[in-house]
Amino acid sequence: MLCRAGQIRRCAASLSHTISKVAASRQKHTLPDLTYDYGALEPYVSAEIMQLHHSKHHATYVNNLNVTEEKYQEALAKGDVTTQVALQPALKFNGGGHINHTIFWTNLSPNGGGEPQGELMEAIKRDFGSFQKMKEKMSAVTVAVQGSGWGWLGFDKDSGRLRIAACANQDPLQGTAGLIPLLGIDVWEHAYYLQYKNVRPDYVKAIWNVVNWENVSERLQMAKK
């Protein structure tokens, strides 16, 4: 019996060591680099906003996500379901913030604006009637977000159609609405207040001038696979 108890203790110690090694070797999330300078989107989005938004706000989501995941791994190793459940809101908020902003930076470009081309434009015309109607609908939905959140153009894989949706706070579009994100507009105040004050509609109108339609088109192609 003592021998068996000793074996159990050794197995438990070995398992705990293995879990610790896995947790330690887990690749941490990092802040993605931008492909353009902070001032590249001016005059539509100021360099000050971009610097704070990227290097401070997004970085905070990344750091908090890593801390939360470490706590979650510890709770998993201990079989502590209560703590796992308690950490879900932080995972959703910080994980969503990281996902959303990583998409957002690539959705923007100093060479953006204008209109999409090819298959994306055809899909927009099919699902919304015209590019202008899509812009108007997405702008209205985005401006109407209560408090903080995002407006999205997404792809519904089941129907094969484009859809517009809004998400509160940092809720990720795919994880909450089941739509694959193509284009997001951040309407947290940190995304525009320093430049546009409380006039959110002016910010949303301006952001269309730097939308990277090539990136949105690439996302549509990937979503269809």
Side-chain angles (χ1 to χ4, degrees):
M1 181 64 73
L2 288 174
C3 181
R4 183 174 177 78
Q7 287 178 333
I8 291 173
R9 284 195 296 271
R10 285 194 295 272
C11 286
S14 176
L15 179 59
S16 178
H17 179 66
T18 300
I19 292 173
S20 297
K21 286 178 65 178
V22 170
S25 65
R26 179 184 64 81
Q27 187 173 2
K28 289 190 175 183
H29 303 284
T30 58
L31 182 68
D33 293 329
L34 300 185
T35 58
Y36 44 83
D37 294 333
Y38 286 140
L41 303 182
E42 291 187 336
Y44 307 108
V45 185
S46 72
E48 183 181 16
I49 286 176
M50 287 298 298
Q51 189 271 330
L52 290 170
H53 198 173
H54 177 257
S55 69
K56 301 298 183 183
H57 291 282
H58 189 175
T60 298
Y61 294 124
V62 171
N63 292 336
N64 287 342
L65 176 60
N66 284 324
V67 170
T68 303
E69 285 192 341
E70 287 176 4
K71 292 179 179 177
Y72 194 85
Q73 289 292 336
E74 292 173 2
L76 275 175
K78 295 175 182 176
D80 184 353
V81 178
T82 299
T83 298
Q84 293 171 44
V85 172
L87 289 169
Q88 292 298 317
L91 281 173
K92 182 180 180 182
F93 182 74
N94 293 294
H98 181 38
I99 291 169
N100 294 340
H101 285 88
T102 300
I103 296 168
F104 185 57
W105 307 131
T106 64
N107 277 168
L108 305 178
S109 169
N111 301 314
E115 298 184 355
Q117 304 295 321
E119 189 176 355
L120 175 59
M121 179 60 108
E122 293 304 312
I124 288 172
K125 289 179 179 178
R126 179 197 67 207
D127 296 335
F128 301 102
S130 69
F131 175 65
Q132 186 60 33
K133 287 181 179 178
M134 185 279 293
K135 276 181 63 176
E136 291 172 357
K137 182 175 181 180
M138 185 169 174
S139 294
V141 168
T142 303
V143 169
V145 169
Q146 294 183 344
S148 302
W150 293 73
W152 288 100
L153 176 66
F155 179 70
D156 186 336
K157 206 169 182 68
D158 290 335
S159 66
R161 291 185 174 273
L162 303 179
R163 284 178 53 192
I164 289 169
C167 290
N169 300 313
Q170 292 297 351
D171 291 1
L173 182 68
Q174 191 165 3
T176 56
L179 302 176
I180 300 174
L182 305 179
L183 170 65
I185 301 178
D186 185 353
V187 285
W188 278 67
E189 285 189 345
H190 63 237
Y192 64 88
Y193 199 86
L194 287 176
Q195 185 173 358
Y196 294 93
K197 302 300 186 280
N198 64 329
V199 190
R200 182 186 285 180
D202 285 356
Y203 158 72
V204 172
K205 181 179 179 181
I207 205 77
W208 292 104
N209 291 288
V210 287
V211 170
N212 183 354
W213 290 113
E214 288 186 10
N215 177 263
V216 181
S217 295
E218 289 170 1
R219 290 183 179 281
L220 176 61
Q221 292 298 320
M222 292 295 294
K224 287 186 170 183
K225 291 182 179 179

